[in-house]
Amino acid sequence: MPRKPSGHRLLPVRPLTFSPFARSVARVATAYMVKHHVRDAMQHSAGDEFKKLKKVDRQSESSEDEEFDGVVEADFAFFDPKPEDFHGVKTLLQSYHDNKEWDLSGFVDLILGQTTVGTVVKLEDDEDKGVFSIITALNLGRYKDHKCISELKEFLLKLCLEKDKIGNLRSLLGDKAQDVGLLVSQRVVNLPPELLPHLYDALFDEILWATEDEPTEELRNSFRFKFYIVVSKIYKHKNANQKRTSSTDKDDAFIYIKPEEEILHKLSMWSFLFPLQTQQVVAHELKDYQLNGIVMAVKAEGISSFRQQLRTLISES
């Protein structure tokens, strides 16, 4: 079943976080990573005809006669994952498992092999066909015998040091794994925020369609998720565990690299942070923040609210 067509521009990063202060800090931080991620994403991958998206028209914010201000015109398109996207998707997921050695290639193969649910974003009519975003959901029970999923489960269980969370995590990764979708969403940092509602709507629509259209009952059931697990990164203030004196202080305790994860965090049943071995060089404005990993568990029944809140967040930003 096709998606709606759409094209968007590659616009400056517009991080969305709790407060104006946090947004300004995130803007500075992500600006350092833009060139690196775009370069890597453009190195590999290929695709053909783009899927349906709605066209978005904006006035150009720069011209040939003006000094370049970081705005590049680009039309993006949605594609089904395919084997040719291997290197582009692998580049985006390079730090998904921190700096641990694991079966990343097998993980990418799982994502690309699930063509009925999942989307890659590329530039329309671009010769390099670089992958700018990947989004999908993998059933942890269906793929439990794959090395990459076994390693990921082991990794997460070792990371969880909170006694009140480890039992819940072990349950979702074990006896309830057939009901759990690993929500994977990685992208270059300056992908236009306007794309996000389209991307998530496409993903969750495809999940619904898969429960109706997959050829076997077993496959249809594998997309009837009751829970989602999200593994990502977040900036936490180094003094966040101390008593905060105002609501502004509390809001600035976290900076979300991905705006949608602020919503997912609020909707989550539980979550926990874990230290990262790999730390990125960041701007001076982030000297009081530490980059952490975060694991969130979200009930599938909350996804409708998530989609609505995401549309509102992006439209009002």
Side-chain angles (χ1 to χ4, degrees), residues 225-290:
F225 299 121
K226 296 180 181 178
F227 310 96
Y228 290 98
I229 285 182
V230 180
V231 182
S232 192
K233 297 180 177 66
I234 187 174
Y235 284 100
K236 180 182 178 182
H237 198 282
K238 294 176 181 178
N239 297 326
N241 292 333
Q242 299 179 7
K243 185 176 180 180
R244 314 296 282 179
T245 58
S246 69
S247 60
T248 300
D249 287 338
K250 293 177 182 179
D251 287 347
D252 291 342
F254 298 105
I255 294 177
Y256 294 90
I257 300 173
K258 300 174 184 175
E260 69 271 25
E261 290 177 357
E262 174 185 342
I263 304 171
L264 289 170
H265 200 184
K266 291 179 179 179
L267 290 173
S268 65
M269 303 183 296
W270 49 263
S271 64
F272 66 87
L273 272 60
F274 59 90
L276 294 173
Q277 299 300 315
T278 303
Q279 290 292 326
Q280 298 170 337
V281 177
V282 297
H284 176 74
E285 285 79 1
L286 281 172
K287 62 182 176 61
D288 294 327
Y289 286 82
Q290 183 81 20

Side-chain angles (χ1 to χ4, degrees), residues 40-229:
D40 286 348
M42 291 296 294
Q43 285 179 347
H44 300 289
S45 186
D48 18 69
E49 299 181 3
F50 62 91
K51 293 183 183 176
K52 32 181 178 112
L53 262 192
K54 179 182 174 184
K55 193 82 174 177
V56 174
D57 187 25
R58 290 187 176 183
Q59 293 295 319
S60 174
E61 299 180 40
S62 66
S63 70
E64 294 180 0
D65 297 326
E66 296 173 340
E67 183 179 352
F68 178 68
D69 62 359
V71 179
V72 179
E73 295 212 15
D75 289 326
F76 290 93
F78 288 1
F79 296 78
D80 280 328
K82 58 183 61 178
E84 291 84 351
D85 299 322
F86 180 86
H87 293 293
V89 172
K90 187 175 182 179
T91 296
L92 289 178
L93 294 170
Q94 202 67 51
S95 63
Y96 185 76
H97 209 163
D98 198 10
N99 67 344
K100 304 292 184 182
E101 290 188 9
W102 70 303
D103 187 18
L104 176 58
S105 293
F107 191 59
V108 174
D109 284 338
L110 283 187
I111 291 172
L112 300 182
Q114 185 176 275
T115 58
T116 55
V117 171
T119 296
V120 295
V121 177
K122 306 176 190 177
L123 289 179
E124 180 185 350
D125 299 327
D126 186 273
E127 292 182 3
D128 291 332
K129 301 292 184 183
V131 176
F132 283 79
S133 177
I134 174 67
I135 187 169
T136 192
L138 300 174
N139 185 295
L140 292 181
R142 175 182 175 184
Y143 298 116
K144 62 183 175 63
D145 295 328
H146 289 258
K147 180 182 177 182
C148 59
I149 297 300
S150 297
E151 290 178 336
L152 181 62
K153 289 180 179 180
E154 181 181 356
F155 175 68
L156 295 179
L157 288 170
K158 286 183 178 179
L159 291 174
C160 185
L161 303 178
E162 300 183 30
K163 294 181 179 180
D164 59 331
K165 310 286 177 60
I166 186 65
N168 294 325
L169 176 63
R170 186 174 285 111
S171 177
L172 291 186
L173 299 181
D175 58 291
K176 294 182 180 178
Q178 192 62 40
D179 299 323
V180 179
L182 179 66
L183 181 55
V184 180
S185 178
Q186 294 288 101
R187 58 183 182 268
V188 296
V189 294
N190 63 337
L191 192 78
E194 295 89 344
L195 276 176
L196 297 181
H198 296 287
L199 272 173
Y200 280 95
D201 282 347
L203 174 67
F204 293 116
D205 284 347
E206 282 190 332
I207 290 172
L208 176 61
W209 298 335
T211 65
E212 302 169 350
D213 300 337
E214 285 293 295
T216 68
E217 184 66 22
E218 182 179 7
L219 285 176
R220 291 192 290 272
N221 287 337
S222 72
F223 290 104
R224 294 191 171 99
F225 299 121
K226 296 180 181 178
F227 310 96
Y228 290 98
I229 285 182

